[in-house]
Amino acid sequence: MSRPHFMISSFPEDETIKTYINDFSERWVADPHIQFEFLDQMENFLGRYSKQLSPSTWTNDEHCFLIILNSFIELRNCLVKQGFYSFRKKETENLLQLFFEQFNQDLLINVINGNQYTSVIQECQRFFSSIINPYTNLNKIEESVESIEAWANIWLTRPHFTKYKSYFNQLSTFQTQHFLKNVVIKDLVQQQHHPPTRRTLFKILGFHKEFEIALTIWKHSHEEIFPMSLEEKQVVNIIAEEETELIFPYYFHWIEQLIEKKTSSNYKHAIILLSELYHHALKLEKQDQFMLFMTFLFKKYKHYTAFYKELTSLADTFTR
């Protein structure tokens, strides 16, 4: 198979990107810790390019998606020439996966399963099959309970939210979607002691707005939940926005949990949560309930000198 033309010939930064990829690959061989530089630089290229084409962001632009595919083919070729690809294969695939997660998922499915860019897609399937294949032939999936369970069992060996979402959206009935969701959440809850698995679980809970399950997990968690992962914080924010009353008792618990640690950083974190809680109380017109909690904190922690000072300063901002 002939090598696909790199990117889009009318794009003036083609050679700039090719030069950068070659330079980066040489430096990456010497320094294994610079992979996220590639992520940032390519996002900068895509941002500039999408502005030239249309006002839409690069995450919704199929040409930008093709630039990424060709760029990773180019990066792989450079590393192969240097005899170093096997040492950077996993990191390269992880970087490509990060880009896939940012793009509009419907766009990915349409481009990968379309006929317009066959040569590039086939090349990527050869080199990055684990990332490309979950998006291929999704309209042809079998929807029996057995096939869904089989898919879930394979997926659970390496759970990933984007692959789950793509598969879920391709199921054609509420019943099959509901079955998949229940199977996946049940198993992930049992495996949540593994941090990456817990993050995937909370992405799925946020996606389905399964607030009660998230709250139950926090209620029965015997491990320290702070610092809270980004995925869990996003679920907190969704609950606070859509079901504000549900989150109040958890803020009370988390704030006290942080204060009891008796460190300056945790005091500051508790104050941040108190400020968030105040704004939620304003939204629900429950300032009285919030002030009762503040009074409780003043009484209970009056001998925690450093925290008491922080709490007094915060209270002053509410009365201005």
Side-chain angles (χ1 to χ4, degrees):
M1 178 186 298
S2 61
R3 184 166 170 263
H5 178 72
F6 186 75
M7 304 181 200
I8 302 166
S9 59
S10 62
F11 180 35
E13 290 189 320
D14 276 6
E15 291 303 319
T16 302
I17 295 177
K18 289 180 69 173
T19 300
Y20 169 73
I21 291 173
N22 185 67
D23 171 72
F24 171 79
S25 67
E26 292 178 355
R27 290 185 291 110
W28 199 18
V29 167
D31 184 351
H33 304 296
I34 64 170
Q35 67 263 37
F36 292 110
E37 173 203 310
F38 185 78
L39 186 75
D40 293 337
Q41 187 59 50
M42 289 305 301
E43 287 182 353
N44 288 335
F45 283 133
L46 295 176
R48 292 200 296 270
Y49 181 39
S50 65
K51 289 178 182 178
Q52 294 176 22
L53 287 178
S54 67
S56 65
T57 61
W58 62 263
T59 57
N60 292 306
D61 192 314
E62 71 176 37
H63 297 287
C64 288
F65 178 51
L66 292 170
I67 288 175
I68 286 299
L69 295 183
N70 279 297
S71 295
F72 274 86
I73 291 172
E74 188 77 9
L75 177 60
R76 179 192 177 278
N77 289 340
C78 289
L79 291 169
V80 168
K81 288 178 183 177
Q82 297 167 52
F84 225 80
Y85 181 65
S86 61
F87 297 100
R88 297 289 182 268
K89 182 177 185 294
K90 181 178 179 181
E91 291 84 353
T92 302
E93 291 176 345
N94 288 341
L95 285 173
L96 180 57
Q97 183 67 62
L98 288 174
F99 276 108
F100 268 57
E101 291 175 15
Q102 295 183 71
F103 276 102
N104 180 297
Q105 297 299 293
D106 290 334
L107 180 146
L108 297 194
I109 293 170
N110 291 336
V111 171
I112 290 172
N113 291 286
N115 298 318
Q116 191 171 357
Y117 309 106
T118 305
S119 62
V120 177
I121 299 302
Q122 288 179 348
E123 192 91 349
C124 283
Q125 281 182 297
R126 287 176 56 204
F127 301 144
F128 309 111
S129 60
S130 65
I131 297 171
I132 295 288
N133 285 347
Y135 293 90
T136 60
N137 299 319
L138 288 177
N139 291 324
K140 299 178 183 178
I141 61 174
E142 186 183 350
E143 296 195 14
S144 67
V145 168
E146 293 77 11
S147 66
I148 293 173
E149 285 183 329
W151 183 92
N153 288 335
I154 295 172
W155 179 85
L156 284 162
T157 62
R158 192 179 180 185
H160 193 281
F161 173 69
T162 301
K163 294 178 182 178
Y164 168 82
K165 182 180 176 181
S166 296
Y167 184 75
F168 177 88
N169 286 336
Q170 289 300 310
L171 294 174
S172 62
T173 69
F174 169 79
Q175 289 79 8
T176 53
Q177 289 182 328
H178 186 70
F179 178 76
L180 173 67
K181 179 185 71 173
N182 287 345
V183 167
V184 163
I185 290 177
K186 179 181 177 182
D187 284 344
L188 289 180
V189 167
Q190 295 174 352
Q191 302 175 30
Q192 63 171 298
H193 60 279
H194 185 50
T197 300
R198 185 178 174 102
R199 291 196 295 270
T200 300
L201 168 62
F202 273 88
K203 277 190 174 183
I204 291 173
L205 294 178
F207 173 62
H208 292 300
K209 298 187 178 181
E210 289 285 357
F211 301 149
E212 293 290 349
I213 296 177
L215 294 170
T216 299
I217 290 172
W218 287 324
K219 180 178 181 180
H220 296 292
S221 179
H222 298 295
E223 298 180 2
E224 179 56 59
I225 66 169
F226 291 105
M228 186 176 280
S229 70
L230 173 63
E231 292 78 9
E232 290 184 63
K233 183 60 178 175
Q234 288 172 339
V235 173
V236 170
N237 291 339
I238 295 172
I239 298 174
E241 181 66 29
E242 300 188 16
E243 299 283 350
T244 311
E245 292 188 15
L246 291 177
I247 206 67
F248 266 61
Y250 293 88
Y251 267 94
F252 296 161
H253 173 69
W254 293 334
I255 289 166
E256 287 194 75
Q257 188 181 72
L258 287 166
I259 297 169
E260 295 292 345
K261 291 180 176 298
K262 301 181 182 180
T263 67
S264 176
S265 61
N266 284 302
Y267 289 160
K268 292 183 183 302
H269 195 167
I271 293 298
I272 291 172
L273 292 186
L274 267 171
S275 182
E276 291 178 6
L277 183 60
Y278 176 69
H279 291 293
H280 298 325
L282 287 178
K283 175 184 174 182
L284 292 179
E285 298 183 353
K286 290 195 172 184
Q287 297 95 316
D288 290 345
Q289 183 178 346
F290 175 80
M291 295 313 298
L292 284 174
F293 183 58
M294 288 286 288
T295 301
F296 164 78
L297 293 178
F298 272 115
K299 290 181 179 179
K300 183 173 181 178
Y301 298 108
K302 62 183 178 182
H303 298 302
Y304 288 46
T305 306
F307 174 72
Y308 195 88
K309 183 178 179 181
E310 296 268 6
L311 188 63
T312 301
S313 296
L314 180 65
D316 290 341
T317 66
F318 297 149
T319 58
R320 290 173 188 167

